[in-house]
Amino acid sequence: MGTPLTDRLAALGRGASPDGRAVVLADRPDGTVVRVGPVVSKAHAPDSDRGDLAARIAVARDPLLAGILLAPLGDGRLLDADGRPASLWPLGAPVAPDDPDAAPWEEAAALLARLHSVPVAELPGPIPPMRGPAKVARALRRLRAAGAPGTAAATVLRAASGLPPWAHGEAAPPRPPTAPLRAGAAPHPPQEHPIRAEAAPPRATPPRTGPAPLRAEAAPPRGASPRTGFLCHGDLHLGQLVRHPATDGPWLLIDVDDLGLGDPAWDLARPAAWYATGLLAPDVWQRFLTAYRAGGGPAVCPEGDPWPELDVPARALTVQSAALALVRAAGERRAPDEVEQALVDACARILALPGGECDRTP
């Protein structure tokens, strides 16, 4: 017998697929998913803002997102599942977890480039902010409450202190989006990767060339996101892609819970952070980045060093991943494993960079 929540989700699914067998695909505090035949019913997080969630689902239904985001079933209206907002979606085939060589990195990058290029003024609104930075703040709150090992937790929290407020959920004054960079714009000069273990010792950041919005003298004030107003996924990883129709259809992005307006660099930040921490092979990162640029994505300059745009979001995602890793280890009463420790080590390298930690002296 299932829980009242999963039973209700199964009933919602059978409303669209009467003969299907109910299978629980995921049951987490932030989302419970039940499959009934070709239909997937999802209960969103209990604290979801229903107005924002409805707006995100309306965006997913818009024709401008066809071929980019998986569209919901029916009219897109929110349903109720044991007091939680719920929605119905068609079943897609996920990325195979046992075949990493077949992971669709290029396809994911191409979809992001298209998503970031959607004309937001033509979408139903108002569109809420992308929720990525708010999730960093939540991960840090969980770390503080978890009683994780002192030295590791302190390293992560100190690395978080060097992030500008916009990168961990604090409000910053809105800024209009910059225009996508021209194909002929001057690239940034080469630069060692700032977080990787094999990176050169910290040194002064070289002067940047290129379009005015990216030059040091034109940089936004500390605490303000350099760009907002682009449609962003907000939580990009390979689990957010499915083939639809299942098995042989094109790849599409799923999960609109964090969808919204923001800095498109955020959607590249998780693979960038994985590359930075040594969890993603350099050739895979280059394939992803090359495909994003080939699609005309506006998050990074069209050629040259992408790190000026990716640095802060990648640091933020590294901090978030390390915080959640320590929370998980503390909950299981064990030391961090190799992957978890790699994330903490990356936070330690962040601290060695210029601006890696806030100066709290009077």
Side-chain angles (χ1 to χ4, degrees):
M1 178 179 290
T3 66
L5 176 60
T6 57
D7 288 347
R8 173 58 179 160
L9 289 173
L12 291 174
R14 289 193 184 96
S17 178
D19 300 326
R21 182 174 67 90
V23 178
V24 178
L25 301 181
D27 190 7
R28 301 185 303 270
D30 62 343
T32 299
V33 181
V34 173
R35 171 190 174 183
V36 180
V39 175
V40 172
S41 51
K42 177 177 181 176
H44 302 267
D47 60 351
S48 297
D49 183 302
R50 291 179 179 248
D52 286 352
L53 183 56
R56 293 180 168 109
I57 290 176
V59 168
R61 296 184 67 243
D62 193 272
L64 287 174
L65 276 299
I68 303 174
L69 276 175
L70 184 68
L73 294 173
D75 60 9
R77 285 186 296 177
L78 287 177
L79 306 171
D80 181 82
D82 198 32
R84 289 169 58 172
S87 54
L88 296 177
W89 304 83
L91 178 70
V95 175
D98 56 350
D99 189 7
D101 292 336
W105 287 107
E106 289 93 342
E107 291 87 345
L111 288 170
L112 285 181
R114 293 176 61 193
L115 181 73
H116 297 161
S117 301
V118 169
V120 295
E122 299 177 24
L123 294 173
I127 303 173
M130 177 263 293
R131 290 184 63 244
K135 296 179 76 171
V136 177
R138 185 173 65 184
L140 294 172
R141 289 194 298 270
R142 291 183 61 189
L143 177 60
R144 293 185 181 98
T151 301
T155 297
V156 175
L157 292 172
R158 286 176 58 207
S161 76
L163 297 172
W166 70 267
H168 52 89
E170 296 182 23
R175 294 172 57 85
T178 58
L181 302 182
R182 300 187 304 276
H188 295 294
Q191 179 178 321
E192 280 89 355
H193 197 286
I195 307 177
R196 289 186 68 87
E198 65 270 22
R203 65 175 190 270
T205 304
R208 297 174 181 172
T209 59
L214 301 181
R215 291 198 302 264
E217 64 270 21
R222 179 176 174 82
S225 174
R227 290 177 294 177
T228 60
F230 292 86
L231 187 63
C232 303
H233 182 274
D235 188 28
L236 189 278
H237 54 78
L238 290 179
Q240 305 288 36
L241 288 101
V242 298
R243 285 189 181 277
H244 181 72
T247 69
D248 59 357
W251 289 105
L252 297 171
L253 295 169
I254 62 170
D255 191 353
V256 300
D257 289 40
D258 302 311
L259 184 79
L261 300 182
D263 185 343
W266 196 274
D267 284 341
L268 279 65
R270 181 172 275 112
W274 287 348
Y275 160 63
T277 54
L279 300 176
L280 186 67
D283 66 303
V284 176
W285 164 246
Q286 287 301 324
R287 283 165 42 203
F288 176 83
L289 180 63
T290 298
Y292 181 82
R293 284 170 158 166
V300 295
C301 52
E303 57 184 27
D305 177 22
W307 213 254
E309 296 95 338
L310 296 179
D311 182 42
V312 169
R315 293 190 198 201
L317 265 295
T318 300
V319 163
Q320 175 185 323
S321 298
L324 294 177
L326 292 181
V327 169
R328 182 167 54 250
E332 297 172 2
R333 299 182 180 277
R334 59 171 175 80
D337 62 24
E338 183 178 0
V339 171
E340 292 163 346
Q341 187 60 49
L343 294 167
V344 176
D345 292 344
C347 289
R349 291 194 293 275
I350 286 173
L351 288 170
L353 299 170
E357 181 179 18
C358 283
D359 181 1
R360 299 190 182 279
T361 57

